[in-house]
Amino acid sequence: MLTEYNTVNFSPSCERNKQVILEQLSPLLAKHSNILEIGSLSGQHAGHFAPALTHLIWQCSDIAFNITGLNHNIKQLALANLPAPLTIDLAQPNSWPEQNYDAMFSANTLHIVAWPLVEKLFQLADDSLSKHQSRIFIYGPFKYGGEYTSASNADFQLWLKDRDPLSGIRDFEAVNELAQRYGFTLEQDITMPANNQLLVWRR
């Protein structure tokens, strides 16, 4: 258990949701060997998942601005299956890893970044994931048929748009179409606590 987190990017919501996400991920990742996380931020998810999934190399990543704090936390954890984080900028394909992975995970990123970067995330998945038996796991809030799943998500959207007009809760249908464009098929759409979803695509 990491007790000396760099708290700059510490997320209370991550602490609340990490166990329920792990419960869903564990059976789906049983036969995977390495996973790339996009937008690891503090590394709280990885720090909880990696000790429970010791067969799996969990590769964290984030933009350069967040790497110092993330690297500090990963060093504190000192887990054999949690290597040093990669600096990955979705807008800069030359920063994308050359190694292949068989899974990708990202939590609470699609509504933070602009839509062109959502597109880049799936392009990165296409480039970095093996062409067979690979999965994408995306956690966060979504709209369905243009409708929010809760009043609190509608309020959250107002906060997001005020913060950055290019951000916002994404339409499930648009994201699913994007995944299909790169050969991924929706495998599961899991309703999670606090009006979030865990979407799983496979190819």
Side-chain angles (χ1 to χ4, degrees), residues 19-92:
Q19 180 58 30
V20 293
I21 297 176
L22 176 61
E23 290 168 2
Q24 297 295 334
L25 290 180
S26 291
L28 294 170
L29 287 171
K31 295 184 178 180
H32 289 268
S33 61
N34 59 355
I35 186 167
L36 174 64
E37 181 180 5
I38 301 299
S40 302
L41 201 60
S42 64
Q44 287 164 259
H45 279 137
H48 187 67
F49 300 161
L53 303 168
T54 55
H55 67 285
L56 184 74
I57 300 297
W58 193 284
Q59 179 63 66
C60 291
S61 74
D62 214 307
I63 59 173
F65 182 80
N66 294 323
I67 283 293
T68 299
L70 176 58
N71 192 51
H72 169 87
N73 292 341
I74 288 176
K75 282 185 176 180
Q76 292 291 312
L77 285 161
L79 296 170
N81 63 331
L82 191 59
L86 301 178
T87 301
I88 295 179
D89 187 337
L90 292 174
Q92 301 294 330

Side-chain angles (χ1 to χ4, degrees), residues 83-160:
L86 301 178
T87 301
I88 295 179
D89 187 337
L90 292 174
Q92 301 294 330
N94 62 351
S95 74
W96 295 0
E98 295 183 0
Q99 178 180 344
N100 282 335
Y101 301 86
D102 56 24
M104 177 183 286
F105 172 80
S106 194
N108 295 315
T109 53
L110 269 60
H111 58 273
I112 297 297
V113 302
W115 178 253
L117 294 187
V118 177
E119 294 177 315
K120 289 289 188 182
L121 184 146
F122 282 89
Q123 182 182 339
L124 170 59
D126 182 48
D127 287 351
S128 299
L129 297 185
S130 54
K131 298 304 180 184
H132 300 287
Q133 305 300 316
S134 59
R135 284 187 170 105
I136 303 174
F137 302 89
I138 301 291
Y139 173 86
F142 288 89
K143 293 184 288 181
Y144 291 82
E147 299 293 330
Y148 300 99
T149 60
S150 69
S152 62
N153 277 359
D155 291 339
F156 184 42
Q157 176 82 332
L158 295 176
W159 181 87
L160 287 168

